[in-house]
């Protein structure tokens, strides 16, 4: 059974994406294939059934797997999150590969099931409606994917419970399918289109369902990064994890090295800093042996110009009364916990934090220098 911890290993995250995409393609195109051979179903009824199947599946996957991998289950969404800085670049190809593999497995499972019933050969493949040109179809797929990706960003910024996120994203997908389904079949997802296309051998215009969604995801990521780019005032950057004994301490130290006004805290602070963390920071010429874990307080949140959570969900990182204070100044970094990891593992986490802090220092134009 998959772990529900938000700081799951890269392997578990990839497995989560594979499983989520598999379920999406199994149920979504599977519903399309089932409806196509059903009797006495009007086009509108078929569209509603298909739209609900896709929307409900996405919502369910978010609820079941969202805390493990983010439940992207879509290369275009992963691209959006990577461009926006919410997913690390090194996870882009592993996520994409897992999603493509999940889509292929789902599509060939659909083929195996429906081949027994003389199913239509397309197996839920995506295709343009008569009269819809390639440029228009590509543009519609890009627009639909943009809206879908932005709904995910909005959910992460304004909704701090998975049921709410699932409901918003699922509802958005349903509306998009109802609007675009009669025109392009509303794929919005390269992995969803590729699997059925290869399983059925229907490859016509397949490139539309890669170019369009990836373009929409890219634009969504750029828009999010532009409008949500941290604009720091005089307050410090606050790095938050659970124990304030590893990740957040390293981030604070690197931030101060870049001249940033930085602090760190934890909701359940440890009694001391992880000794291996101290050792690997010394390798970078930074001594944090005299630092001590601190407790996250509402005052720290209030005074911070930016809050960065590190590998933990908002619910775990922050007590409910102060979550509202964080909404417009929150960044989430998906990082593994160095606790219990060997020296090489902690070094890898340190290097990732160092890179993220360096990027943060470059992307914020109004960083306030650390007080002397």
């Amino acid at each position: 059974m998959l772990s529900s911890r938000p700081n799951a290993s890269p392997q578990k995250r990839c497995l989560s994406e594979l499983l989520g995409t598999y379920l999406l393609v199994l149920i979504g195109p599977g519903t399309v294939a089932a409806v196509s051979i059903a009797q006495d179903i009007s086009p509108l009824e078929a569209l509603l059934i298909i739209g609900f199947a896709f929307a409900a599946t996405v919502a369910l996957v978010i609820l079941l797997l969202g805390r493990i991998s983010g439940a992207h289950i879509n290369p275009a969404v992963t691209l959006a999150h990577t461009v926006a800085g919410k997913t690390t670049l090194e996870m882009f190809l592993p996520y994409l590969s897992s999603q493509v593999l999940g889509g292929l497995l789902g599509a060939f499972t659909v083929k195996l099931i429906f081949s027994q019933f003389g199913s239509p050969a397309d197996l839920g493949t995506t295709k343009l409606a008569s009269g819809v040109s390639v440029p228009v179809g590509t543009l519609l797929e890009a627009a639909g994917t943009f809206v879908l990706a932005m709904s995910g960003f909005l959910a992460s910024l304004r909704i701090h419970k998975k049921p709410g996120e699932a409901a918003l994203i699922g509802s958005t997908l349903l509306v998009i399918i109802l609007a675009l389904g009669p025109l392009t079949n509303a794929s919005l997802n390269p992995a969803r289109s590729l699997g059925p296309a290869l399983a059925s051998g229907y490859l016509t215009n397949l490139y539309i369902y890669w170019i369009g969604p990836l373009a929409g995801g890219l634009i969504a990521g750029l828009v999010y990064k532009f409008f949500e780019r941290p604009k720091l005032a005089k307050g410090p950057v606050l790095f938050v994890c659970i124990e304030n004994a590893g990740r957040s301490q390293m981030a604070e130290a690197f931030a101060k090295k870049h001249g940033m006004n930085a602090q760190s805290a934890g909701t359940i602070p440890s009694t001391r800093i992880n000794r291996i963390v101290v050792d690997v920071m010394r390798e970078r010429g930074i001594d944090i042996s005299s630092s001590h874990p601190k407790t996250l307080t509402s005052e720290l949140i209030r005074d911070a110009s930016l809050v960065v959570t590190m590998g933990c969900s908002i619910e775990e990182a922050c007590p409910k009364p102060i979550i509202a204070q964080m909404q417009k100044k929150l960044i989430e970094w998906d990082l593994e916990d160095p606790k219990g990891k060997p020296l090489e593992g902690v070094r890898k986490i340190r290097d990732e934090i160092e890179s993220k802090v360096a990027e943060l220092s470059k992307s914020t134009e109004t960083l306030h220098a650390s007080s002397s």
Side-chain angles (χ1 to χ4, degrees):
M1 185 174 182
L2 290 173
S3 168
S4 61
R5 291 184 62 81
N7 55 342
S9 67
Q11 293 78 11
K12 287 185 177 180
R13 294 177 208 168
C14 289
L15 181 58
S16 170
E17 288 298 304
L18 187 154
L19 177 59
T21 313
Y22 173 81
L23 290 174
L24 175 67
V25 175
L26 175 66
I27 298 174
T31 302
V32 175
V35 168
S36 67
I37 61 176
Q39 301 293 325
D40 301 324
I41 294 182
S42 69
L44 178 59
E45 291 172 333
L47 182 62
L48 288 170
I49 292 171
I50 293 168
F52 180 79
F54 274 102
T57 303
V58 167
L60 179 62
V61 170
I62 291 172
L63 289 174
L64 294 178
L65 304 176
R67 295 187 185 279
I68 300 173
S69 65
H72 297 179
I73 59 175
N74 183 339
V77 171
T78 296
L79 176 61
H81 280 243
T82 302
V83 171
K86 294 172 72 66
T87 296
T88 60
L89 182 60
E90 67 179 15
M91 290 303 297
F92 176 72
L93 287 179
Y95 264 40
L96 187 148
S97 300
S98 300
Q99 292 155 359
V100 168
L101 179 58
L104 290 172
L105 292 174
F108 279 94
T109 302
V110 171
K111 181 176 183 178
L112 178 64
I113 293 171
F114 284 92
S115 61
Q116 305 175 43
F117 304 99
S119 161
D122 61 15
L123 299 173
T125 55
T126 46
K127 57 189 73 174
L128 299 179
S130 176
V132 177
S133 67
V134 168
V136 170
T138 304
L139 180 62
L140 290 174
E141 283 292 306
T145 307
F146 172 82
V147 173
L148 179 63
M150 291 304 297
S151 75
F153 288 139
L154 177 63
S156 68
L157 285 172
R158 298 291 180 260
I159 302 174
H160 305 303
K161 295 291 185 181
K162 287 302 174 189
E165 292 183 14
L168 175 60
I169 297 171
S171 299
T172 301
L173 179 58
L174 175 59
V175 171
I176 296 171
I177 290 174
L178 294 180
L180 300 184
L183 302 173
T184 68
N185 289 154
S187 169
L188 321 177
N189 185 337
R192 174 261 180 271
S193 287
L194 179 64
L198 293 181
S200 66
Y202 185 87
L203 304 177
T204 303
N205 292 333
L206 178 60
Y207 63 93
I208 292 173
Y209 298 101
W210 277 83
I211 295 174
L214 289 176
L218 174 63
I219 295 170
L222 292 172
V223 168
Y224 175 88
K225 188 171 184 177
F226 178 80
F227 285 104
E228 292 298 326
R229 185 170 67 176
K231 298 176 177 61
L232 302 185
K234 293 183 178 180
V237 178
L238 178 63
F239 297 97
V240 177
C241 64
I242 302 301
E243 295 187 352
N244 190 219
R247 291 166 291 187
S248 54
Q249 289 283 352
M250 288 191 282
E252 178 187 359
F254 281 127
K256 288 180 176 177
K257 184 177 179 180
H258 280 278
M260 298 166 64
N261 184 7
Q263 293 180 328
S264 65
T267 56
I268 311 175
S270 177
T271 56
R272 64 177 185 176
I273 297 180
N274 185 323
R275 299 308 304 174
I276 300 182
V277 168
V278 173
D279 292 339
V280 300
M281 290 301 287
R282 280 200 180 111
E283 295 175 356
R284 286 289 187 267
I286 301 175
D287 185 3
I288 61 172
S289 60
S290 60
S291 300
H292 299 283
K294 299 178 289 294
T295 301
L296 179 67
T297 64
S298 59
E299 288 76 21
L300 286 174
I301 296 290
R302 180 196 64 206
D303 296 338
S305 59
L306 181 69
V307 180
V308 181
T309 61
M310 315 186 74
C312 47
S313 69
I314 296 174
E315 292 87 348
E316 288 180 307
C318 304
K320 291 181 181 179
I322 61 176
I323 287 179
Q325 300 181 52
M326 302 174 62
Q327 288 185 353
K328 291 189 177 181
K329 51 185 178 181
L330 176 69
I331 293 179
E332 295 178 82
W333 287 354
D334 186 15
L335 295 164
E336 290 189 80
D337 191 343
K339 185 177 181 179
K341 286 193 164 39
L343 182 61
E344 285 304 318
V346 178
R347 282 174 175 154
K348 183 178 179 181
I349 296 169
R350 175 204 61 194
D351 293 346
E352 186 174 358
I353 292 173
E354 183 178 22
S355 175
K356 284 180 171 292
V357 171
E359 183 180 349
L360 179 64
S361 71
K362 293 177 182 177
S363 65
T364 52
E365 300 175 349
T366 57
L367 290 173
H368 187 266
S370 178
S371 58
S372 56

